[in-house]
Amino acid sequence: MNVYDSARMADVLRPLGYAPVDRPENADMIILNTCHIREKAAEKVFSELGRLRKITEERKETTGKSTFLAVAGCVAQAEGKEILARAPYVDLVLGPQTYHRLPEMVARVARAGGGVIDTDFPVEAKFDFLPEEAAPQTSANLTAFLTIQEGCDKFCSFCVVPYTRGAETSRPVSSVLDEAKRLVESGVKEITLLGQNVNAYHGTWEGRSVTLAELADKLRSIHGLERLRYMTSHPRDMEETLIEAHRDNPIFMPFLHLPVQSGSDRILKAMNRGHTADEYRNIITRLRQARPDIALSSDFIVGHPGETDEDFEATMQLVKDVTFACTYSFKYSARPGTPAAGQPFQVPEDVKDRRLARLQALLREQQDAFNASLLGTVQDILVSSTGRKPGQVMGRSPYLQPVHFEGDPSLIGRVVKVRITTQRTNSLGGVLCEEALAV
Ligand code: 5AD
Ligand code: SF4
């Protein structure tokens, strides 16, 4: 979502004469868009600010030009005052809900001489105030993100999102459809709908509330849109109609990111996730019945406060039962202000390390096994660029793996059939099917 937000900030600034540059050394303005989800991400902000400070000071010395330095995103939202105290050379701090006000804030900084903070949760919806996004720059821009929902009301024990992104809100259907149409007109073939709780989407359409499944059905009628994905979802909002849409909506890719976090009912309860491990297993069974070729991706946290060896083994068991194609796993990181941060029974770092290593070894095995299971199959590949070697092109499978194969650059932008023949660590190799050439 930060990638999407950064692009929209660039859109807002374009009418003021700003355009992207290749290096921070050449920039009149630098906006550091930040993430607060784990301590490591948040700490990076301060080291990165130190690096940028050096660059801007050198630029001032050698060219006499000043650089406007802003910090945006969730660290800005949560730690705005601390940022200005620790890095007083920062001109502007702005939260994720106020970037539509950037032009006005830039003017305010000019008047105040720096040190402006805007971390309100404004009553106006920022999407109503953003300009239409600029068309993607090149023909290779075949995939795009599109934010349809933001914020979260679920308050998982470990998570800062409800505090930094605010309450759950959905964009109206017409605004989403307009943006999707513009993207497709500019050449985009695949859209990933974004939201912190994207499957809780409930945008309005002609006075009534529309679900994600219904929105996807409307998107399906946009001519030229070939692939649709969404992330991130919550198991609690995985309603039957959405599961059925995976069977009925042909533009839905057979790949779903559905974070489970833990396989222990005790820890799921402590996390305030609102479902059990078996309920998660049941959702996966129904998804696989609806769409047999579906592959699953997930997020895991090890070492949530109170997690015992037995709880961790339950997570390992869930992974073995479900089998995942791709996953993200993290050591629990205490975030200030969240309920879990203040709980007793914090798990020691070395225990977290050992658990994470075991979990990641199992997950890696499953990812390799999934990739191997595609050998010999024919997959639809959205060709996006020329490949590593001359004469090769590359594209993405429905499961987002990069696939390299011999082919003409004129295939770029098309979905073609490729037989998968080789497996490398992070990519696959294949051979273009004859019939794909005839189409
Ligand atoms: N510690 C570790 N991981 C976290 N995540 C969210 N908050 C924390 C935290 N405090 C992980 C969750 C979530 C993903 C985006 O980041 O797994 O799904
Ligand atoms: Fe955070 Fe996701 Fe839980 Fe919301 S549902 S609190 S975004 S982990």
Side-chain angles (χ1 to χ4, degrees), residues 37-38 158-160 232 257 259 261 299-301 328 330-335:
I37 198 87
R38 284 171 293 276
F158 51 83
C159 185
V160 286
T232 289
H257 184 66
Q261 316 295 357
D299 290 341
F300 294 90
I301 297 178
Y328 304 87
F330 316 97
K331 283 191 286 180
Y332 167 73
S333 161
R335 308 309 293 129

Side-chain angles (χ1 to χ4, degrees), residues 20 46 96 119-120 148 158 169 196 228 285 310 317 333 353 370:
F46 289 100
T119 50
D120 289 358
I148 64 168
F158 51 83
T169 54
Q196 274 81 33
L228 191 62
T285 304
E310 202 181 315
Q317 190 56 50
S333 161
D353 283 333
F370 175 72

